[in-house]
Amino acid sequence: MTNLDHGKFSRVTTVFHSLLALTVFTLFFTGYSIAFNAELWWLIELMGGNTGVLAVHRAAGFALIALTGFWVPYMLLSRTNGGGIGTLLPTKDDVEAFVQDVQFAFGRADERHPNARQFAGYKADEVPLLSYIGKGVAAIFTVELVFLMITGLLIWQKAWLISVYNTQSAAMAFVAFHGLLGIIMLMGVMFHTFEHGFHPAFYPVEMKAFLPKDQTPNFHGDPDDHESTGIERLRRKKSWRWVTNIVGVATVVGIVSVMLASVTYGGYPVSSELAFNEGSLLRTIGINTGFLVLFLGLTLSMYGNVLRSRYLKEKQQEEPRATAADGGEPSDD
């Protein structure tokens, strides 16, 4: 760890992030193995056929509802994240940061606004806990999840929908809207995986998403005055360049393939029928490439938790040695 990964999240937030990632990835793998069954037939077989896939998908959906039911009250009541839900709300500085970013893009500003900074190269007190971009991503993600949960529950009760609206078109519309939201989130998560796993300062894992801020060497509120940001200690791994190029191409191919497949299958965003057509070879390769990126994201999420465990264990082992070196008695803990 270096000061590059200054702390951002509380212990509860890091655990919630990992559980949410596991749940969302499970929903993607199950939901789109049904939607793109011709291309992702192997996922269906892996999970025991259509019945098994639907069971896992619904279980993951209820897990998402449970996580959300915990998270909303926690954010409303908690102050451990620097102000609870207040940290997610836009401020005047965020508006100014957006305006300055637009000016910066057109060469009419010399630098980006402090509220737009989120990557390495700055000290913890120079970077907000959450940039306006991060707040926007959180807001979009939240709205999508809420609508996905609502439409998912309504689709589960298709017979009730049809009886209320007295037409099958209502159920089809909710299915189409649920799929549209899922496609948008699917593409966003692919990009999120690439952005936060393959930035040269983070590769292969951005640790601040997994390590609580009170355990990082440099975090907001740290009383120690660090003389540098740690950027001078950054050394790009030899594998970074070719790995990031491969994953970058896979991300683009996956996003484009999923989007085109959604258009091809009966009209977009409202499908003309609930049954999907047969797949093509190129579409099969493209969609599976996208899901390879998703599997990579799930793997990196698990790897981040492994690194957190290793780091905390090493830190715990170093503390008794440091105490002994200072002339004190090493702890038995």
Side-chain angles (χ1 to χ4, degrees):
M1 291 292 295
T2 71
N3 297 337
L4 293 170
D5 287 329
H6 57 75
K8 176 175 283 191
F9 301 126
S10 69
R11 189 179 302 274
V12 175
T13 307
T14 57
V15 174
F16 173 80
H17 177 272
S18 295
L19 292 176
L20 182 65
L22 178 61
T23 304
V24 169
F25 280 125
T26 302
L27 288 169
F28 282 152
F29 296 144
T30 52
Y32 285 101
S33 63
I34 298 172
F36 302 131
N37 56 80
E39 293 85 1
L40 297 170
W41 58 269
W42 58 274
L43 262 179
I44 296 179
E45 294 297 325
L46 193 64
M47 288 182 280
N50 288 329
T51 303
V53 170
L54 285 172
V56 174
H57 188 75
R58 288 166 181 166
F62 284 116
L64 178 62
I65 293 173
L67 283 171
T68 306
F70 160 78
W71 184 248
V72 172
Y74 172 76
M75 288 299 294
L76 288 172
L77 300 174
S78 173
R79 291 294 178 267
T80 58
N81 284 315
I85 203 168
T87 59
L88 298 174
L89 300 177
T91 64
K92 180 182 177 182
D93 286 339
D94 292 325
V95 176
E96 293 175 354
F98 171 75
V99 173
Q100 188 167 324
D101 259 6
V102 174
Q103 294 174 335
F104 179 74
F106 285 96
R108 302 185 65 84
D110 295 331
E111 62 180 0
R112 301 187 69 186
H113 191 279
N115 274 44
R117 298 170 181 170
Q118 54 185 338
F119 293 126
Y122 301 101
K123 296 171 68 173
D125 57 0
E126 297 175 327
V127 184
L129 278 170
L130 204 59
S131 70
Y132 81 90
I133 298 173
K135 291 180 181 180
V137 170
I140 293 171
F141 195 73
T142 301
V143 171
E144 286 182 335
L145 282 179
V146 169
F147 279 115
L148 278 169
M149 287 185 288
I150 293 174
T151 54
L153 289 172
L154 291 175
I155 292 169
W156 187 36
Q157 300 296 325
K158 287 190 290 290
W160 177 81
L161 270 178
I162 294 172
S163 65
V164 170
Y165 289 96
N166 199 29
T167 174
Q168 187 179 3
S169 299
M172 294 172 63
F174 278 105
V175 170
F177 185 53
H178 187 76
L180 171 62
L181 290 172
I183 290 290
I184 295 172
M185 180 170 285
L186 185 77
M187 295 188 292
V189 170
M190 284 188 203
F191 180 76
H192 184 76
T193 297
F194 176 75
E195 178 188 16
H196 291 274
F198 298 93
H199 187 281
F202 304 143
Y203 172 73
V205 170
E206 183 181 5
M207 280 305 296
K208 66 170 173 265
F210 301 95
L211 192 64
K213 59 186 178 181
D214 60 351
Q215 297 291 337
T216 55
N218 183 13
F219 66 94
H220 293 268
D222 191 344
D224 297 332
D225 183 18
H226 296 276
E227 296 181 355
S228 70
T229 63
I231 192 68
E232 74 284 348
R233 292 196 285 173
L234 173 62
R235 296 293 183 270
R236 287 186 299 186
K237 296 181 182 294
K238 293 181 179 180
S239 60
W240 171 76
R241 189 176 299 279
W242 65 267
V243 170
T244 195
N245 286 334
I246 292 175
V247 177
V249 171
T251 302
V252 173
V253 170
I255 289 175
V256 172
S257 298
V258 167
M259 184 170 62
L260 291 179
S262 302
V263 175
T264 303
Y265 283 142
Y268 187 76
V270 179
S271 58
S272 60
E273 55 185 21
L274 296 181
F276 288 95
N277 303 320
E278 292 298 322
S280 68
L281 179 60
L282 287 178
R283 195 160 57 222
T284 298
I285 294 173
I287 290 176
N288 278 275
T289 300
F291 273 73
L292 176 63
V293 175
L294 292 180
F295 274 112
L296 182 60
L298 178 59
T299 302
L300 291 179
S301 178
M302 293 186 292
Y303 182 55
N305 285 288
V306 171
L307 292 181
R308 173 182 61 186
S309 178
R310 287 180 182 174
Y311 174 80
L312 294 178
K313 184 177 181 180
E314 290 176 0
K315 187 174 181 180
Q316 191 177 29
Q317 291 174 346
E318 289 175 358
E319 287 176 354
R321 291 197 294 266
T323 303
D326 292 337
E329 291 293 331
S331 174
D332 294 330
D333 297 334

